[in-house]
mmCIF file of all heavy atoms in Angstrom:
data_model
loop_
_atom_site.group_PDB
_atom_site.id
_atom_site.type_symbol
_atom_site.label_atom_id
_atom_site.label_comp_id
_atom_site.label_asym_id
_atom_site.label_seq_id
_atom_site.Cartn_x
_atom_site.Cartn_y
_atom_site.Cartn_z
ATOM 1 N N ARG A 1 -8.344 -3.106 -0.046
ATOM 2 C CA ARG A 1 -9.060 -4.361 -0.311
ATOM 3 C C ARG A 1 -10.346 -4.113 -1.089
ATOM 4 O O ARG A 1 -10.673 -4.844 -2.024
ATOM 5 C CB ARG A 1 -9.365 -5.096 0.987
ATOM 6 C CG ARG A 1 -8.162 -5.701 1.660
ATOM 7 C CD ARG A 1 -8.538 -6.520 2.881
ATOM 8 N NE ARG A 1 -7.356 -7.081 3.505
ATOM 9 C CZ ARG A 1 -6.746 -8.184 3.109
ATOM 10 N NH1 ARG A 1 -7.226 -8.884 2.087
ATOM 11 N NH2 ARG A 1 -5.666 -8.618 3.727
ATOM 12 N N ALA A 2 -11.074 -3.073 -0.682
ATOM 13 C CA ALA A 2 -12.349 -2.772 -1.340
ATOM 14 C C ALA A 2 -12.159 -2.369 -2.795
ATOM 15 O O ALA A 2 -12.984 -2.685 -3.652
ATOM 16 C CB ALA A 2 -13.078 -1.669 -0.576
ATOM 17 N N GLN A 3 -11.054 -1.687 -3.089
ATOM 18 C CA GLN A 3 -10.827 -1.185 -4.433
ATOM 19 C C GLN A 3 -10.142 -2.193 -5.359
ATOM 20 O O GLN A 3 -10.108 -1.985 -6.577
ATOM 21 C CB GLN A 3 -9.972 0.084 -4.370
ATOM 22 C CG GLN A 3 -10.655 1.268 -3.716
ATOM 23 C CD GLN A 3 -11.887 1.709 -4.475
ATOM 24 O OE1 GLN A 3 -11.903 1.751 -5.698
ATOM 25 N NE2 GLN A 3 -12.937 2.045 -3.746
ATOM 26 N N MET A 4 -9.591 -3.276 -4.800
ATOM 27 C CA MET A 4 -8.786 -4.187 -5.607
ATOM 28 C C MET A 4 -9.501 -4.767 -6.813
ATOM 29 O O MET A 4 -8.902 -4.886 -7.897
ATOM 30 C CB MET A 4 -8.213 -5.309 -4.742
ATOM 31 C CG MET A 4 -6.994 -4.886 -3.939
ATOM 32 S SD MET A 4 -5.719 -4.065 -4.921
ATOM 33 C CE MET A 4 -5.187 -5.441 -5.948
ATOM 34 N N PRO A 5 -10.794 -5.183 -6.709
ATOM 35 C CA PRO A 5 -11.447 -5.713 -7.920
ATOM 36 C C PRO A 5 -11.397 -4.741 -9.095
ATOM 37 O O PRO A 5 -11.273 -5.159 -10.248
ATOM 38 C CB PRO A 5 -12.891 -5.956 -7.452
ATOM 39 C CG PRO A 5 -12.776 -6.217 -5.987
ATOM 40 C CD PRO A 5 -11.693 -5.288 -5.532
ATOM 41 N N VAL A 6 -11.478 -3.438 -8.821
ATOM 42 C CA VAL A 6 -11.402 -2.422 -9.877
ATOM 43 C C VAL A 6 -9.954 -2.081 -10.208
ATOM 44 O O VAL A 6 -9.561 -1.978 -11.369
ATOM 45 C CB VAL A 6 -12.166 -1.147 -9.449
ATOM 46 C CG1 VAL A 6 -11.981 -0.031 -10.488
ATOM 47 C CG2 VAL A 6 -13.638 -1.450 -9.243
ATOM 48 N N TRP A 7 -9.157 -1.916 -9.169
ATOM 49 C CA TRP A 7 -7.785 -1.473 -9.377
ATOM 50 C C TRP A 7 -6.913 -2.502 -10.078
ATOM 51 O O TRP A 7 -5.949 -2.127 -10.749
ATOM 52 C CB TRP A 7 -7.163 -1.100 -8.032
ATOM 53 C CG TRP A 7 -7.622 0.241 -7.515
ATOM 54 C CD1 TRP A 7 -8.479 1.096 -8.150
ATOM 55 C CD2 TRP A 7 -7.242 0.877 -6.301
ATOM 56 N NE1 TRP A 7 -8.670 2.221 -7.390
ATOM 57 C CE2 TRP A 7 -7.909 2.114 -6.250
ATOM 58 C CE3 TRP A 7 -6.409 0.521 -5.248
ATOM 59 C CZ2 TRP A 7 -7.775 2.996 -5.189
ATOM 60 C CZ3 TRP A 7 -6.251 1.406 -4.185
ATOM 61 C CH2 TRP A 7 -6.937 2.627 -4.159
ATOM 62 N N ARG A 8 -7.216 -3.808 -9.909
ATOM 63 C CA ARG A 8 -6.410 -4.815 -10.599
ATOM 64 C C ARG A 8 -6.408 -4.571 -12.097
ATOM 65 O O ARG A 8 -5.395 -4.756 -12.766
ATOM 66 C CB ARG A 8 -6.944 -6.217 -10.309
ATOM 67 C CG ARG A 8 -6.517 -6.785 -8.975
ATOM 68 C CD ARG A 8 -6.772 -8.274 -8.896
ATOM 69 N NE ARG A 8 -6.538 -8.784 -7.550
ATOM 70 C CZ ARG A 8 -7.485 -8.936 -6.646
ATOM 71 N NH1 ARG A 8 -8.751 -8.645 -6.936
ATOM 72 N NH2 ARG A 8 -7.184 -9.391 -5.437
ATOM 73 N N ALA A 9 -7.581 -4.187 -12.641
ATOM 74 C CA ALA A 9 -7.692 -3.924 -14.075
ATOM 75 C C ALA A 9 -7.159 -2.547 -14.440
ATOM 76 O O ALA A 9 -6.523 -2.368 -15.479
ATOM 77 C CB ALA A 9 -9.150 -4.060 -14.513
ATOM 78 N N ARG A 10 -7.405 -1.569 -13.572
ATOM 79 C CA ARG A 10 -7.034 -0.192 -13.871
ATOM 80 C C ARG A 10 -5.551 0.076 -13.637
ATOM 81 O O ARG A 10 -4.923 0.855 -14.371
ATOM 82 C CB ARG A 10 -7.864 0.767 -13.016
ATOM 83 C CG ARG A 10 -7.646 2.250 -13.343
ATOM 84 C CD ARG A 10 -8.518 3.115 -12.461
ATOM 85 N NE ARG A 10 -9.927 2.898 -12.713
ATOM 86 C CZ ARG A 10 -10.901 3.451 -11.998
ATOM 87 N NH1 ARG A 10 -10.624 4.228 -10.970
ATOM 88 N NH2 ARG A 10 -12.155 3.197 -12.295
ATOM 89 N N TYR A 11 -5.003 -0.548 -12.600
ATOM 90 C CA TYR A 11 -3.615 -0.296 -12.221
ATOM 91 C C TYR A 11 -2.835 -1.612 -12.144
ATOM 92 O O TYR A 11 -2.615 -2.156 -11.045
ATOM 93 C CB TYR A 11 -3.556 0.420 -10.871
ATOM 94 C CG TYR A 11 -4.338 1.707 -10.802
ATOM 95 C CD1 TYR A 11 -5.392 1.861 -9.893
ATOM 96 C CD2 TYR A 11 -4.036 2.778 -11.629
ATOM 97 C CE1 TYR A 11 -6.105 3.038 -9.812
ATOM 98 C CE2 TYR A 11 -4.752 3.974 -11.569
ATOM 99 C CZ TYR A 11 -5.780 4.089 -10.659
ATOM 100 O OH TYR A 11 -6.499 5.268 -10.585
ATOM 101 N N PRO A 12 -2.408 -2.165 -13.262
ATOM 102 C CA PRO A 12 -1.657 -3.430 -13.236
ATOM 103 C C PRO A 12 -0.423 -3.346 -12.353
ATOM 104 O O PRO A 12 0.341 -2.380 -12.428
ATOM 105 C CB PRO A 12 -1.271 -3.628 -14.709
ATOM 106 C CG PRO A 12 -2.283 -2.830 -15.480
ATOM 107 C CD PRO A 12 -2.597 -1.646 -14.635
ATOM 108 N N GLY A 13 -0.267 -4.356 -11.471
ATOM 109 C CA GLY A 13 0.862 -4.387 -10.561
ATOM 110 C C GLY A 13 0.616 -3.759 -9.209
ATOM 111 O O GLY A 13 1.467 -3.828 -8.317
ATOM 112 N N VAL A 14 -0.581 -3.149 -9.014
ATOM 113 C CA VAL A 14 -0.849 -2.452 -7.762
ATOM 114 C C VAL A 14 -0.845 -3.392 -6.561
ATOM 115 O O VAL A 14 -0.581 -2.963 -5.427
ATOM 116 C CB VAL A 14 -2.197 -1.693 -7.836
ATOM 117 C CG1 VAL A 14 -3.376 -2.672 -7.866
ATOM 118 C CG2 VAL A 14 -2.344 -0.713 -6.678
ATOM 119 N N GLU A 15 -1.125 -4.695 -6.791
ATOM 120 C CA GLU A 15 -1.152 -5.636 -5.669
ATOM 121 C C GLU A 15 0.218 -5.758 -4.987
ATOM 122 O O GLU A 15 0.315 -6.249 -3.859
ATOM 123 C CB GLU A 15 -1.635 -7.016 -6.111
ATOM 124 C CG GLU A 15 -0.817 -7.672 -7.207
ATOM 125 C CD GLU A 15 -1.284 -7.315 -8.597
ATOM 126 O OE1 GLU A 15 -2.063 -6.356 -8.747
ATOM 127 O OE2 GLU A 15 -0.875 -8.010 -9.537
ATOM 128 N N GLY A 16 1.277 -5.309 -5.636
ATOM 129 C CA GLY A 16 2.610 -5.359 -5.039
ATOM 130 C C GLY A 16 2.967 -4.134 -4.206
ATOM 131 O O GLY A 16 4.065 -4.069 -3.643
ATOM 132 N N LEU A 17 2.050 -3.180 -4.088
ATOM 133 C CA LEU A 17 2.300 -1.950 -3.336
ATOM 134 C C LEU A 17 2.550 -2.246 -1.859
ATOM 135 O O LEU A 17 1.886 -3.091 -1.258
ATOM 136 C CB LEU A 17 1.099 -1.011 -3.481
ATOM 137 C CG LEU A 17 1.159 0.311 -2.700
ATOM 138 C CD1 LEU A 17 2.185 1.246 -3.333
ATOM 139 C CD2 LEU A 17 -0.235 0.966 -2.672
ATOM 140 N N LYS A 18 3.488 -1.519 -1.235
ATOM 141 C CA LYS A 18 3.774 -1.641 0.188
ATOM 142 C C LYS A 18 3.579 -0.291 0.856
ATOM 143 O O LYS A 18 4.205 0.695 0.476
ATOM 144 C CB LYS A 18 5.201 -2.149 0.415
ATOM 145 C CG LYS A 18 5.432 -3.565 -0.107
ATOM 146 C CD LYS A 18 6.860 -4.021 0.134
ATOM 147 C CE LYS A 18 7.067 -5.447 -0.379
ATOM 148 N NZ LYS A 18 8.451 -5.906 -0.222
ATOM 149 N N VAL A 19 2.690 -0.275 1.859
ATOM 150 C CA VAL A 19 2.366 0.939 2.603
ATOM 151 C C VAL A 19 2.745 0.719 4.068
ATOM 152 O O VAL A 19 2.526 -0.361 4.618
ATOM 153 C CB VAL A 19 0.864 1.283 2.500
ATOM 154 C CG1 VAL A 19 0.558 2.591 3.227
ATOM 155 C CG2 VAL A 19 0.421 1.383 1.038
ATOM 156 N N ALA A 20 3.315 1.738 4.711
ATOM 157 C CA ALA A 20 3.661 1.664 6.132
ATOM 158 C C ALA A 20 2.928 2.764 6.884
ATOM 159 O O ALA A 20 2.939 3.927 6.474
ATOM 160 C CB ALA A 20 5.165 1.788 6.332
ATOM 161 N N VAL A 21 2.293 2.404 7.999
ATOM 162 C CA VAL A 21 1.640 3.355 8.890
ATOM 163 C C VAL A 21 2.184 3.084 10.290
ATOM 164 O O VAL A 21 1.812 2.112 10.942
ATOM 165 C CB VAL A 21 0.106 3.216 8.864
ATOM 166 C CG1 VAL A 21 -0.521 4.242 9.806
ATOM 167 C CG2 VAL A 21 -0.437 3.395 7.452
ATOM 168 N N MET A 22 3.087 3.942 10.753
ATOM 169 C CA MET A 22 3.796 3.709 12.003
ATOM 170 C C MET A 22 3.411 4.730 13.056
ATOM 171 O O MET A 22 3.028 5.861 12.749
ATOM 172 C CB MET A 22 5.302 3.740 11.751
ATOM 173 C CG MET A 22 5.762 2.754 10.669
ATOM 174 S SD MET A 22 5.392 1.025 11.062
ATOM 175 C CE MET A 22 6.500 0.793 12.463
ATOM 176 N N GLY A 23 3.545 4.330 14.352
ATOM 177 C CA GLY A 23 2.998 5.134 15.432
ATOM 178 C C GLY A 23 3.968 6.001 16.200
ATOM 179 O O GLY A 23 3.548 6.800 17.033
ATOM 180 N N CYS A 24 5.279 5.873 15.974
ATOM 181 C CA CYS A 24 6.225 6.734 16.685
ATOM 182 C C CYS A 24 7.551 6.739 15.949
ATOM 183 O O CYS A 24 7.711 6.081 14.909
ATOM 184 C CB CYS A 24 6.387 6.301 18.151
ATOM 185 S SG CYS A 24 7.518 4.912 18.412
ATOM 186 N N ILE A 25 8.531 7.439 16.533
ATOM 187 C CA ILE A 25 9.797 7.689 15.852
ATOM 188 C C ILE A 25 10.774 6.519 15.927
ATOM 189 O O ILE A 25 11.787 6.491 15.211
ATOM 190 C CB ILE A 25 10.448 8.963 16.435
ATOM 191 C CG1 ILE A 25 11.474 9.553 15.453
ATOM 192 C CG2 ILE A 25 11.085 8.649 17.821
ATOM 193 C CD1 ILE A 25 11.975 10.927 15.885
ATOM 194 N N VAL A 26 10.524 5.514 16.813
ATOM 195 C CA VAL A 26 11.497 4.441 17.013
ATOM 196 C C VAL A 26 11.755 3.676 15.720
ATOM 197 O O VAL A 26 12.886 3.587 15.239
ATOM 198 C CB VAL A 26 11.038 3.472 18.132
ATOM 199 C CG1 VAL A 26 11.976 2.273 18.203
ATOM 200 C CG2 VAL A 26 11.016 4.187 19.466
ATOM 201 N N ASN A 27 10.712 3.083 15.150
ATOM 202 C CA ASN A 27 10.837 2.349 13.890
ATOM 203 C C ASN A 27 10.125 3.034 12.735
ATOM 204 O O ASN A 27 10.228 2.579 11.595
ATOM 205 C CB ASN A 27 10.285 0.928 14.034
ATOM 206 C CG ASN A 27 11.124 0.055 14.935
ATOM 207 O OD1 ASN A 27 12.345 0.085 14.876
ATOM 208 N ND2 ASN A 27 10.471 -0.726 15.779
ATOM 209 N N GLY A 28 9.395 4.092 13.073
ATOM 210 C CA GLY A 28 8.554 4.719 12.060
ATOM 211 C C GLY A 28 9.270 5.154 10.798
ATOM 212 O O GLY A 28 8.937 4.719 9.686
ATOM 213 N N PRO A 29 10.283 6.010 10.893
ATOM 214 C CA PRO A 29 10.968 6.454 9.674
ATOM 215 C C PRO A 29 11.614 5.316 8.898
ATOM 216 O O PRO A 29 11.561 5.278 7.668
ATOM 217 C CB PRO A 29 11.999 7.448 10.212
ATOM 218 C CG PRO A 29 11.428 7.926 11.506
ATOM 219 C CD PRO A 29 10.736 6.744 12.079
ATOM 220 N N GLY A 30 12.224 4.360 9.639
ATOM 221 C CA GLY A 30 12.896 3.246 8.966
ATOM 222 C C GLY A 30 11.929 2.384 8.179
ATOM 223 O O GLY A 30 12.159 2.056 7.013
ATOM 224 N N GLU A 31 10.810 1.991 8.812
ATOM 225 C CA GLU A 31 9.807 1.181 8.128
ATOM 226 C C GLU A 31 9.188 1.953 6.967
ATOM 227 O O GLU A 31 8.890 1.376 5.918
ATOM 228 C CB GLU A 31 8.715 0.744 9.105
ATOM 229 C CG GLU A 31 9.162 -0.268 10.148
ATOM 230 C CD GLU A 31 9.316 -1.661 9.571
ATOM 231 O OE1 GLU A 31 8.961 -1.874 8.391
ATOM 232 O OE2 GLU A 31 9.802 -2.555 10.307
ATOM 233 N N SER A 32 8.983 3.240 7.149
ATOM 234 C CA SER A 32 8.398 4.060 6.087
ATOM 235 C C SER A 32 9.319 4.148 4.879
ATOM 236 O O SER A 32 8.869 4.186 3.735
ATOM 237 C CB SER A 32 8.092 5.465 6.620
ATOM 238 O OG SER A 32 7.107 5.409 7.651
ATOM 239 N N LYS A 33 10.643 4.209 5.137
ATOM 240 C CA LYS A 33 11.601 4.242 4.041
ATOM 241 C C LYS A 33 11.605 2.943 3.252
ATOM 242 O O LYS A 33 11.813 2.931 2.037
ATOM 243 C CB LYS A 33 13.011 4.524 4.577
ATOM 244 C CG LYS A 33 13.230 5.947 5.070
ATOM 245 C CD LYS A 33 14.625 6.105 5.649
ATOM 246 C CE LYS A 33 14.836 7.498 6.222
ATOM 247 N NZ LYS A 33 16.168 7.645 6.869
#
């Protein structure tokens, strides 16, 4: 969020990025994939 004002101009399309941070093995690998 903090970098978006700069990154919108520097990295077109970055707002569509999807990041997953999961806490265990149950859904972690699947969501990360």
Side-chain angles (χ1 to χ4, degrees):
R1 289 185 180 278
Q3 293 298 319
M4 281 310 293
V6 175
W7 283 358
R8 280 194 188 95
R10 185 179 296 174
Y11 304 119
V14 69
E15 58 271 14
L17 177 72
K18 295 180 179 177
V19 183
V21 180
M22 305 300 293
C24 81
I25 201 171
V26 173
N27 291 318
E31 291 285 354
S32 296
K33 289 177 183 176

